[in-house]
Amino acid sequence: MLKGKTALITGSTSGIGLGIAEHFAAAGSNIVLNGMGDAAEIEATRARIAATHHVEVIFSDADMSKPDAIEAMFLKVDEKFGGVDILVNNAGIQYVAPVDDFPVSKWDAIIAINLTSSFHTTRLALPWMKQKKWGRIIQIASAHALVASPFKSAYVAAKHGIAGLTKTVALEVAEQGITVNAICPGYVWTPLVQKQVPETAKARGISEDEVVNNVLLAAQPTKQFVTIGQVAAFAGFLASDEAASITGAIMPVDGGWTAH
Ligand code: NAD
């Protein structure tokens, strides 16, 4: 049970992040939602999670590509809850193109949102965790933190960077009751993956059906998408006291993809 704890999940208005927010709320944690989207829909989600699980849920629209906005989000959260006990760095975007055609603006955005934002949230969350001598930092990395795929240069570089950040911070705080780990999902059917199907079809010169069956699911020996619930449950375990000895670990949840 995470009663009385506060969990901040970046990029939690959709997909995996929203699933993790629901999972932590069900375990009794107060929640900070963050992300982009329709304001009315986000407010409905915020209110529903709060009412269903009898926890406090607030929302920050901080843009994870902007360090000032991340700092403002932490000021708001610190004022409301004192600090963040569980930080889930989940916000992420994808773009698929050959490296010599890769738009510079997309490279910069992916590195900022998928990698640099985790540096900022981590440095801002740690003082409270150190004071409490308890904390959990969970990165939603990717199988692409462990292996590469063509046409995803920025994403693979950012996710490999997250693996390095995870191990480094884990070593720095190991004696202070704080664990830092990376979950590396294979393909999960979320808007992020749905959007890359046409882009991948174009980059590889194949149909969208072929992308799903011959590229995405071909990578996973189980031939199944990983589910949001599976990733959220694993994040929940990493936040528990039973997982206190798991730190600095880069862990696949990928249907066997990286066993190849
Ligand atoms: P998604 O598109 O459903 O969700 C992404 C979330 O990030 C949304 O809430 C979005 O609003 C938010 N976001 C995007 N840009 C942002 C910004 N600048 N500032 C703040 N929030 C922003 O995608 P998803 O599949 O749920 O992805 C979540 C994470 O999981 C990402 O880091 C992704 O790389 C990782 N991941 C996904 C898969 C997959 O197959 N879906 C696999 C491995 C890893």
Side-chain angles (χ1 to χ4, degrees):
M1 282 299 283
L2 300 172
K3 211 168 168 41
K5 301 262 194 267
T6 299
L8 186 161
I9 304 100
T10 68
S12 46
T13 53
S14 162
I16 295 169
L18 180 55
I20 291 173
E22 297 248 27
H23 189 88
F24 282 138
S29 175
N30 295 322
I31 300 293
V32 183
L33 294 173
N34 159 258
M36 311 290 181
D38 177 79
E41 272 178 37
I42 293 170
E43 172 50 25
T45 300
R46 188 206 62 74
R48 177 181 55 74
I49 296 175
T52 307
H53 302 292
H54 310 289
V55 294
E56 292 202 65
V57 184
I58 66 170
F59 169 67
S60 162
D61 65 359
D63 181 339
M64 289 299 113
S65 69
K66 299 196 162 51
D68 289 355
I70 298 172
E71 287 193 11
M73 174 176 75
F74 270 83
L75 283 178
K76 177 174 164 176
V77 172
D78 291 354
E79 213 170 90
K80 173 78 182 163
F81 296 117
V84 170
D85 304 291
I86 302 162
L87 169 65
V88 183
N89 288 316
N90 168 81
I93 59 169
Q94 173 63 288
Y95 193 80
V96 182
V99 68
D100 45 344
D101 276 343
F102 213 89
V104 172
S105 61
K106 292 286 183 197
W107 171 278
D108 288 344
I110 289 175
I111 298 299
I113 296 166
N114 296 18
L115 175 58
T116 308
S117 74
S118 298
F119 158 68
H120 292 296
T121 55
T122 297
R123 73 180 172 79
L124 293 164
L126 275 178
W128 170 262
M129 294 179 180
K130 287 181 175 176
Q131 193 186 318
K132 302 277 272 196
K133 300 224 170 304
W134 195 96
R136 295 287 185 266
I137 300 178
I138 301 167
Q139 325 277 17
I140 303 305
S142 167
H144 284 119
L146 297 161
V147 296
S149 295
F151 314 120
K152 296 183 175 176
S153 52
Y155 188 87
V156 172
K159 296 296 187 180
H160 275 63
I162 283 289
L165 179 68
T166 301
K167 293 186 216 176
T168 306
V169 180
L171 295 178
E172 290 183 22
V173 299
E175 292 177 47
Q176 298 178 72
I178 304 165
T179 68
V180 190
N181 291 293
I183 298 177
C184 299
Y187 287 109
V188 187
W189 192 247
T190 67
L192 180 141
V193 164
Q194 289 155 19
K195 190 176 157 290
Q196 70 184 269
V197 170
E199 288 170 7
T200 305
K202 190 170 159 223
R204 291 184 181 243
I206 57 177
S207 74
E208 295 191 13
D209 276 354
E210 285 171 318
V211 171
V212 172
N213 294 309
N214 302 348
V215 179
L216 304 185
L217 292 180
Q220 293 185 184
T222 53
K223 299 284 180 277
Q224 311 254 347
F225 284 103
V226 176
T227 69
I228 291 172
Q230 290 164 355
V231 177
F234 191 34
F237 177 68
L238 290 176
S240 72
D241 286 332
E242 288 77 6
S245 293
I246 303 175
T247 195
I250 314 297
M251 294 170 287
V253 179
D254 65 2
W257 173 352
T258 54
H260 276 134

